[in-house]
Amino acid sequence: MFFHIVLERNMQLHPRHFGRTLRDSLVSKLMKDVEGTCSGRHGFVVAITGIESVGKGLIRDGTGFVTFPVKYQCVVFRPFKGEILEAVVTMVNKMGFFAEAGPVQIFVSNHLIPDDMEFQSGDMPNYTTSDSSVKIQKDSEVRLKIIGTRVDATEIFCIGTIKDDFLGVINDPTGA
């Protein structure tokens, strides 16, 4: 789920940032470039917690830019198969529903929704139990289990299920 790791990145800095604020400029550029991004290998970078070292700069020929190797600590979010997450439903259709747990989007197929829940179309599509006691619709909070992940270079996709004990709706936006 969340990990505190050390990563390295080469940062290019324009000569106008040289001077006594060089390190501050480097750190703010690093935060702007890295926080909120996703690398398939490490996961989503949530926050940079510290700078371990800034190496000696290397001047790029012809441009005047300088490349600095920066070693930094950061918190990353990486979902794993078998992990239980709480997520907010963003879209419901007859194929299943999509939910978001932080930066991760999770698809739950209608085959992975309990058999007693049926799809109801209309202006607010939802999955409802036969006695209408439980309803999954947009903005519902659900507890789900990740059963599969696919990692791309810049994105992580997940498949989830609510067809297990203690999984399902934990908060209904209608208050019913």
Side-chain angles (χ1 to χ4, degrees), residues 99-170:
E100 286 180 353
V104 159
Q105 189 168 50
I106 304 151
F107 177 68
V108 179
S109 166
N110 59 2
H111 301 292
L112 299 169
I113 295 173
D115 297 329
D116 67 331
M117 298 191 92
E118 288 210 13
F119 178 70
Q120 309 288 321
S121 58
D123 58 338
M124 183 65 101
N126 61 69
Y127 281 89
T128 311
T129 54
S130 53
D131 63 352
S132 298
S133 62
V134 179
K135 186 186 279 188
I136 298 173
Q137 61 187 20
K138 189 177 185 309
D139 297 328
S140 293
E141 290 178 31
V142 293
R143 182 173 294 123
L144 49 83
K145 181 179 183 179
I146 294 176
I147 58 168
T149 59
R150 191 181 96 223
V151 178
D152 259 353
T154 58
E155 220 170 346
I156 299 174
F157 304 96
C158 294
I159 302 292
T161 181
I162 59 170
K163 210 176 191 178
D164 216 340
D165 292 341
F166 307 108
L167 301 180
V169 177
I170 52 176

Side-chain angles (χ1 to χ4, degrees), residues 51-121:
I51 306 296
E52 285 204 351
S53 66
V54 177
K56 293 191 183 313
L58 184 69
I59 300 171
R60 311 276 350 125
D61 292 337
T63 63
F65 278 81
V66 175
T67 303
F68 293 93
V70 180
K71 214 176 202 181
Y72 59 96
Q73 300 170 349
C74 60
V75 175
V76 294
F77 172 70
R78 172 120 193 227
F80 288 100
K81 186 178 176 180
E83 189 174 344
I84 307 289
L85 291 176
E86 292 183 0
V88 177
V89 175
T90 54
M91 188 176 86
V92 179
N93 62 35
K94 67 180 179 194
M95 302 300 288
F97 66 85
F98 287 93
E100 286 180 353
V104 159
Q105 189 168 50
I106 304 151
F107 177 68
V108 179
S109 166
N110 59 2
H111 301 292
L112 299 169
I113 295 173
D115 297 329
D116 67 331
M117 298 191 92
E118 288 210 13
F119 178 70
Q120 309 288 321
S121 58

